[in-house]
Amino acid sequence: MFYCRVVGESQERLTTHTIDFPYTRTLGPVFSEFLTGMRDGKLVGIKGRDGKVICPPTEWDPETGDALGNDFVEVGPGGVVTTWAWVTEPTPKHPLDKPFAFALIQLDGADTGLMHAVDAGSIDKMSTGMRVTARWKDDRIGHITDVTFVPEAG
Amino acid sequence: MAESQAADLNAPVVGMDYHMHVQYHEVLCPVMREFADALMDKRLIGHKCPQCGLIYSPPKGYCPICVVPTDKSHELELQQRGTVTNYTIVTPVQYHGQEETDRFAKASLQLDGGGTLSLQDLLEIPVDDVRIGLRVEAVWASDAERNVDEVTNRSWGIGESAIRGWQPTGEPDVPADELPTNVF
Amino acid sequence: MAKKTEDIAIVGYAQSPSYRQAELTEPQFLYPVISEALERAGVPRREIGFTCAGSCDYLSGQTFAFVMNLDAVGAWPPISESHVEMDGAWALYEAWVRLQHGDIDTALVFGSGKSSPGKPAEVFPLQMDPYTLTPLGADPVSLAALQARAMLDAGKITEDEMAEIAARSRKSAVNNPYAQVKGDDDPAVLLKEPYVTAPLRKHDLPPISDGASAVVLATTEKAKELTDHPVWIRGIDHRIDIHQPGMRDLTESPSTRLAGKNAGVKGKFDFAELSASFSHQEKLLCDELGLGKDVEINLSGGPLAANPVMAVGLTRFVEAARLIAEGGKKRGVAHATSGQALQQNLVAVLEAE
């Protein structure tokens, strides 16, 4: 029968294996509007059946499942942090390469939270209920990382 | 940036690129470690199932057909000479990560004395001359160059860094009807 | 009126130890687990009517890695089998549904995963919304931390309670030979540790684990023939909440509540095995399932002590079955989760004869 040792620090032979897939995704009408907005420096939500504004926008009503029209609404650029987490050691996949906060941000004019990064500098600058605002990259391509958020001045 | 939007900076964004890149670091399992060590000694080993007699190289540590474990006591050294039982010719499509440009063959081998290998490279023979029944022998990388860096738990083949490939021996072909039908 | 479902029983179960870094391949450590579950059930391998597995190719880092796992089953000549790219608990659900058809009487279920080769914080964002969340590297710890903060802010838990849950789990795990993180820790000392991702400290997080578990199911009649101690699945259901973390109240889990109601979670329970991968989630799950202080939670140590992803939910069934068949317990809850921050939840009620 098999005998499995737990391998310690001085493991005998570590092999490396990489998977590497370049995906190109089509966006459909709703994400196209959202990411075109990103490129143009605008945050875009969509109106749900009950009139609530959803951001990031969905193609369907989260409550009823009905298809939504093209009732897009510009939201932000400011918003309120409804919850947050302080990332001490960012991974190479994170949008910032220094400690930052992931937060759910309810953008002005929206009724749902957008998960995004807040570049606050230190954990002391973060609190639930604080206001943040969009900080746009100069070179935008229509991607969720065209924007990050920073604490609102004042 | 997706190619479709590169042309017009004001056109709606309709595509999104995401480059998925993940690296895995895995400890080589004991049976593969033994296999790799043997390759460094220019030996090719396998495990013979005590129940059905099938030989697995690289060894798995079990026979998946009979579902019985195999270990060092089932190890045997395989001959380094054999016959092509099947092959495929690949015309490389230049997708991301494809480094080959010329057509190449990958062959399944039935080794003399037992044991099979799949996805082996053939050397010293034009792709169009590859055929079932071809007699081949192992071409080892030189002592200076030989390594087993490409041997992983996921290995299908052996890794060109140990056995560079298989070259024709010049012996007459084996008639197809003398070859086992259960190898691929 | 819907037709009543047949009670299915767990008649065999097994698990591997939880390894921080296993040197064996997934099929290699699955092999003895499946063999042990079948032996315990007393069902010859070739007589199993249906086999269903749960695993994740992205975790293994290999396309069709799940096919390799069939090596551990004995799948030639071809058997009737299926696979879910989910925790083995969902494979159990599929097998449970399959057994309702009535034409077969046994099923083998297993779940397995090796989290150690990849970096979970880089692999798991790949299961998120590919437009808005994967490109942010939205990882399980950050998402769980958002949930924990929301619960702390809402007054639904305290950091002291989180440390107490972690300490209790580690202490319970001392008696679990399969567990990975175990010991006698003082919650007050744990609270002095720095945050990993605030408000979560290391003790609030599950370990990185490799491992597997397996269960053999049987129909009512077959179970009675096979064993004097069948563990009955009296009810089972799974439900899902919306994916975007900002579109639901993270301090609640409507899917757990509904699955629990449909599975028949009411009345007295001796214990519950919950897939609370983060300390605060245990409190949330207990609240949603209405489990009071009299119910013993995660006597095995739970996912905070052993977290073989893709098997950890099915292991809750293994632990629950063990407590009933061998530990003298009468009635318990098994829970599994999938997705981030308890997005999808499966709940079952298990009972002794």
Side-chain angles (χ1 to χ4, degrees):
Chain A
M1 198 44 76
F2 294 101
Y3 169 64
C4 189
R5 292 175 304 158
V6 178
V7 180
E9 290 301 315
S10 59
Q11 55 270 82
E12 299 192 46
R13 195 172 286 148
L14 208 56
T15 62
T16 299
H17 178 76
T18 306
I19 51 174
D20 203 18
F21 295 132
Y23 289 112
T24 298
R25 298 178 191 282
T26 51
L27 297 178
V30 171
F31 276 119
S32 174
E33 192 78 14
F34 180 62
L35 292 183
T36 301
M38 284 276 167
R39 186 199 58 196
D40 298 340
K42 288 190 305 187
L43 292 158
V44 174
I46 194 168
K47 261 192 189 162
R49 276 303 179 84
D50 56 3
K52 285 185 179 164
V53 174
I54 303 157
C55 180
T58 54
E59 294 174 348
W60 29 264
D61 188 277
E63 296 293 329
T64 64
D66 291 339
L68 295 177
N70 292 317
D71 207 353
F72 295 107
V73 183
E74 190 173 337
V75 295
V80 175
V81 168
T82 59
T83 183
W84 57 280
W86 187 255
V87 180
T88 314
E89 289 181 32
T91 72
K93 312 292 180 190
H94 284 153
L96 294 167
D97 58 7
K98 56 183 172 176
F100 71 97
F102 264 130
L104 293 182
I105 301 161
Q106 190 171 335
L107 293 163
D108 296 342
D111 295 285
T112 63
L114 171 75
M115 181 171 173
H116 220 301
V118 177
D119 186 2
S122 82
I123 188 171
D124 309 336
K125 302 284 187 342
M126 291 300 303
S127 61
T128 303
M130 72 185 285
R131 286 196 58 82
V132 293
T133 193
R135 177 180 67 188
W136 295 99
K137 280 184 184 168
D138 292 334
D139 190 15
R140 297 186 301 273
I141 58 171
H143 196 271
I144 190 76
T145 54
D146 286 345
V147 72
T148 45
F149 290 82
V150 288
E152 212 167 67
Chain B
M1 189 183 294
E3 284 173 30
S4 52
Q5 44 184 289
D8 182 356
L9 291 175
N10 294 313
V13 177
V14 296
M16 191 195 98
D17 289 349
Y18 180 72
H19 193 145
M20 200 284 284
H21 173 90
V22 191
Q23 213 163 47
Y24 300 82
H25 301 284
E26 192 173 17
V27 180
L28 203 59
C29 69
V31 286
M32 285 305 285
R33 218 152 52 215
E34 282 161 14
F35 179 74
D37 289 346
L39 286 179
M40 288 308 287
D41 294 340
K42 291 174 83 167
R43 290 187 306 122
L44 193 55
I45 61 167
H47 280 189
K48 183 171 185 172
C49 173
Q51 211 159 303
C52 69
L54 272 180
I55 297 167
Y56 297 92
S57 180
K60 288 170 176 278
Y62 52 82
C63 171
I65 310 268
C66 304
V67 205
V68 294
T70 61
D71 56 33
K72 192 89 181 158
S73 69
H74 305 103
E75 185 181 301
L76 75 172
E77 190 170 340
L78 308 184
Q79 294 187 37
Q80 298 174 15
R81 195 172 263 254
T83 307
V84 172
T85 56
N86 208 345
Y87 65 93
T88 184
I89 293 172
V90 180
T91 304
V93 172
Q94 297 307 307
Y95 55 75
H96 175 87
Q98 174 60 274
E99 289 166 0
E100 300 291 339
T101 51
D102 298 333
R103 293 164 74 227
F104 60 93
K106 288 280 183 186
S108 299
L109 308 180
Q110 169 76 47
L111 299 177
D112 296 353
T116 59
L117 294 172
S118 58
L119 295 174
Q120 298 298 302
D121 288 317
L122 297 178
L123 308 175
E124 311 295 333
I125 182 169
V127 164
D128 291 325
D129 291 348
V130 173
R131 57 198 182 272
I132 289 172
L134 181 71
R135 295 282 296 155
V136 292
E137 63 189 358
V139 181
W140 290 89
S142 70
D143 287 356
E145 289 173 344
R146 192 163 63 252
N147 66 71
V148 284
D149 296 350
E150 293 172 18
V151 175
T152 72
N153 291 348
R154 305 140 199 269
S155 296
W156 279 82
I158 292 169
E160 293 165 32
S161 56
I163 291 181
R164 285 179 47 229
W166 300 74
Q167 67 184 10
T169 62
E171 297 162 275
D173 286 5
V174 176
D177 58 8
E178 288 177 22
L179 291 168
T181 56
N182 62 342
V183 290
F184 73 98
Chain C
M1 174 103 184
K3 190 181 164 213
K4 194 184 173 306
T5 53
E6 176 177 348
D7 277 354
I8 303 297
I10 295 174
V11 294
Y13 48 83
Q15 63 180 306
S16 75
S18 183
Y19 307 108
R20 172 59 186 85
Q21 189 180 34
E23 63 171 1
L24 294 181
T25 65
E26 210 166 304
Q28 283 170 350
F29 65 66
L30 253 173
Y31 179 103
V33 172
I34 289 173
S35 297
E36 186 188 333
L38 289 168
E39 277 162 30
R40 190 182 289 273
V43 182
R45 204 176 279 272
R46 297 303 309 182
E47 286 179 21
I48 289 288
F50 178 64
T51 298
C52 196
S55 69
C56 175
D57 283 3
Y58 259 138
L59 201 63
S60 312
Q62 189 174 21
T63 316
F64 289 99
F66 71 92
V67 178
M68 317 293 172
N69 292 341
L70 283 173
D71 273 6
V73 177
W76 181 266
I79 58 170
S80 170
E81 57 85 26
S82 179
H83 172 261
V84 292
E85 200 77 7
M86 298 190 75
D87 187 286
W90 272 265
L92 181 142
Y93 186 84
E94 182 176 332
W96 180 88
V97 171
R98 181 66 187 83
L99 285 166
Q100 298 297 333
H101 293 196
D103 58 325
I104 55 167
D105 53 16
T106 54
L108 166 69
V109 177
F110 60 95
S112 61
K114 276 184 94 167
S115 294
S116 69
K119 294 188 179 71
E122 296 185 22
V123 171
F124 284 103
L126 298 168
Q127 74 175 345
M128 305 298 292
D129 175 302
Y131 307 100
T132 62
L133 294 170
T134 302
L136 293 177
D139 59 283
V141 174
S142 296
L143 285 151
L146 292 175
Q147 183 175 44
R149 171 93 54 202
M151 285 182 68
L152 289 164
D153 287 343
K156 292 192 174 183
I157 201 164
T158 63
E159 292 187 31
D160 287 4
E161 285 176 292
M162 288 159 64
E164 281 159 19
I165 287 168
R168 196 212 65 233
S169 298
R170 291 177 177 192
K171 198 166 183 181
S172 299
V174 168
N175 299 317
N176 179 357
Y178 305 104
Q180 188 181 331
V181 181
K182 47 180 99 177
D184 198 353
D185 290 288
D186 179 354
V189 174
L190 292 178
L191 283 166
K192 293 200 173 88
E193 292 289 315
Y195 291 118
V196 174
T197 298
L200 300 180
R201 296 179 176 84
K202 192 174 180 187
H203 62 255
D204 298 310
L205 274 47
I208 294 172
S209 311
D210 300 343
S213 54
V215 161
V216 179
L217 300 177
T219 54
T220 305
E221 202 182 316
K222 184 71 176 176
K224 288 178 176 167
E225 178 193 318
L226 287 169
T227 175
D228 295 332
H229 301 284
V231 176
W232 296 105
I233 300 172
R234 297 297 190 201
I236 185 168
D237 192 39
H238 68 89
R239 298 284 153 165
I240 193 164
D241 290 309
I242 197 165
H243 180 71
Q244 280 284 347
M247 290 185 196
R248 62 183 170 108
D249 180 347
L250 291 174
T251 71
E252 296 187 359
S253 181
S255 57
T256 301
R257 202 181 313 147
L258 186 55
K261 180 169 173 279
N262 291 339
V265 179
K266 58 180 178 219
K268 184 174 162 27
F269 288 98
D270 299 320
F271 71 92
E273 281 288 332
L274 306 175
S275 287
S277 305
F278 296 89
S279 60
H280 64 276
Q281 293 176 345
E282 180 182 303
K283 181 88 182 300
L284 179 50
L285 291 168
C286 285
D287 288 350
E288 294 293 10
L289 292 170
L291 303 174
K293 295 248 181 274
D294 56 327
V295 183
E296 294 187 282
I297 307 296
N298 288 351
L299 287 164
S300 61
L304 292 176
N307 184 42
V309 175
M310 311 318 284
V312 67
L314 184 63
T315 302
R316 309 283 57 81
F317 283 82
V318 171
E319 292 290 358
R322 196 174 58 80
L323 285 167
I324 291 172
E326 300 172 56
K329 304 285 186 194
K330 296 284 181 246
R331 192 163 186 252
V333 172
H335 161 269
T337 195
S338 183
Q340 84 293 355
L342 297 175
Q343 189 200 346
Q344 186 172 8
N345 295 282
L346 181 150
V347 181
V349 172
L350 274 63
E351 279 181 9
E353 183 68 53

